[in-house]
Amino acid sequence: QSAIVEKLAANGDAMVRVYQKSACSHDCSDCSGICGAKKTITVQASNPLQARPGDLVTVETMTKRIIQAAALVYLLPLAALLLSCFLGYALGGSETVQALAGLGGLVVGCACAVAVNRFIRRDRPLEYTIINIDEEQEV
């Protein structure tokens, strides 16, 4: 992702303003669709290339952590939904009971995913690393 170095921390890391792209991989500000304006966040990034304030940089984070978070958010509620539907069926419930059990499982699965996600974000935030300093790159 593209970012601009805002300032340097005492330990040599850089505070960078990251320009978030849309989920559909294009720059929302370039289209007239409903994507909305460009969003930015400010994060601390390790600075092995010694970027300076004002530099345009490319930052990356561990893909593994992002995929794990996505799997948690999407698969846990689905698994809870299916498990509770099968449990309702195994206990001999009517279709209505099975559907209500599935809905309850979905709610519990979503609540668990939110709770675990909050814990992970607080305990192990994403780590950014500056991988390129590029003056020609468009933000």
Side-chain angles (χ1 to χ4, degrees):
Q1 292 179 308
S2 299
I4 293 181
V5 177
E6 295 282 310
K7 62 182 177 179
L8 298 178
N11 63 358
D13 287 352
M15 295 301 294
V16 296
R17 187 174 55 220
V18 180
Y19 292 89
Q20 296 181 313
K21 300 289 183 176
S22 70
C24 54
S25 299
H26 74 279
D27 189 352
C28 291
S29 64
D30 287 344
C31 74
S32 59
I34 59 171
C35 293
K38 231 184 253 189
K39 294 181 182 177
T40 62
I41 59 170
T42 301
V43 296
Q44 187 168 342
S46 62
N47 189 9
L49 303 179
Q50 304 302 315
R52 302 173 150 245
D55 284 348
L56 187 60
V57 296
T58 302
V59 295
E60 74 174 359
T61 189
M62 290 180 54
T63 305
K64 177 182 174 183
R65 298 256 332 265
I66 293 172
I67 291 174
Q68 287 173 341
L72 171 76
V73 168
Y74 291 109
L75 296 180
L76 184 62
L78 179 63
L81 168 86
L82 293 174
L83 182 64
S84 58
C85 283
F86 288 129
L87 183 63
Y89 175 77
L91 295 176
S94 66
E95 288 181 5
T96 303
V97 170
Q98 293 172 33
L100 290 174
L103 182 60
L106 179 64
V107 169
V108 168
C110 288
C112 289
V114 167
V116 171
N117 186 41
R118 284 186 182 162
F119 173 76
I120 289 172
R121 277 183 152 181
R122 185 182 69 238
D123 188 48
R124 296 182 296 164
L126 288 175
E127 297 172 5
Y128 290 84
T129 303
I130 296 174
I131 59 168
N132 188 28
I133 300 174
D134 189 0
E135 299 299 326
E136 300 297 319
Q137 183 178 9
E138 273 190 40
V139 180

